[in-house]
Amino acid sequence: YDDDGYYKYHVTRHYEPEAYFVAIYNGTKTDDNAEDDELSGNAFGRTNEMIGVVSAQLRRRSPLIAGPSNDGDSSTAAALPSVPLPSPHVYVANMRVDDKMRRKGVGMALLSSAREYANSWSDQMGEEVPVLLSVEGDNFGAIALYERAGFEYLEQNSVFCMMILRH
């Protein structure tokens, strides 16, 4: 490894290590909403506890997502089309916000961190690096959050939604 922490040998990496963004509750009310009153004291827990997390990973080369299975089941292929993804992109996964902290801006802040991460890669690489994510088709709260954040659909079916955020 060099002084910057990069692997010295000439190995083409298609995926960078995952970066994790974490939201920590500091005890500050998010607004004048009465719901925040229940978070004062010990209703949520101690301050400085993790209330949200998301992972982001630069992917220089993209696989096809949700393509046909190899088990010979042709109904799976019809229900789950292949979705070509742009290369490169930052893939966002494993987003979780504590139930008591939902609808308080935590999810949007985590997505903003992932967007900034993609922007830093865009600057470094000299090309657009969009943010991609997939979400289960029946996770309506998450889908609404992603739509408010500016994500658009690459694919939407009864099983999942593949969404993209371009700069």
Side-chain angles (χ1 to χ4, degrees), residues 73-92:
D73 182 3
S74 60
S75 65
T76 303
L80 300 174
S82 297
V83 180
L85 303 178
S87 294
H89 68 266
V90 167
Y91 189 76
V92 170

Side-chain angles (χ1 to χ4, degrees), residues 31-109:
D31 57 26
D32 292 330
N33 189 338
E35 291 181 55
D36 284 337
D37 290 338
E38 73 182 51
L39 297 176
S40 60
N42 291 328
F44 172 71
R46 297 175 315 177
T47 57
N48 300 324
E49 285 198 23
M50 184 173 70
I51 56 174
V53 64
V54 68
S55 67
Q57 181 182 49
L58 176 70
R59 295 183 175 182
R60 288 183 164 83
R61 203 165 75 179
S62 301
L64 293 178
I65 300 297
S69 67
N70 292 329
D71 62 6
D73 182 3
S74 60
S75 65
T76 303
L80 300 174
S82 297
V83 180
L85 303 178
S87 294
H89 68 266
V90 167
Y91 189 76
V92 170
N94 307 316
M95 185 158 159
R96 174 77 170 103
V97 175
D98 187 277
D99 292 341
K100 292 181 181 178
M101 296 305 290
R102 291 187 180 172
R103 298 197 166 277
K104 299 190 181 308
V106 176
M108 195 65 77

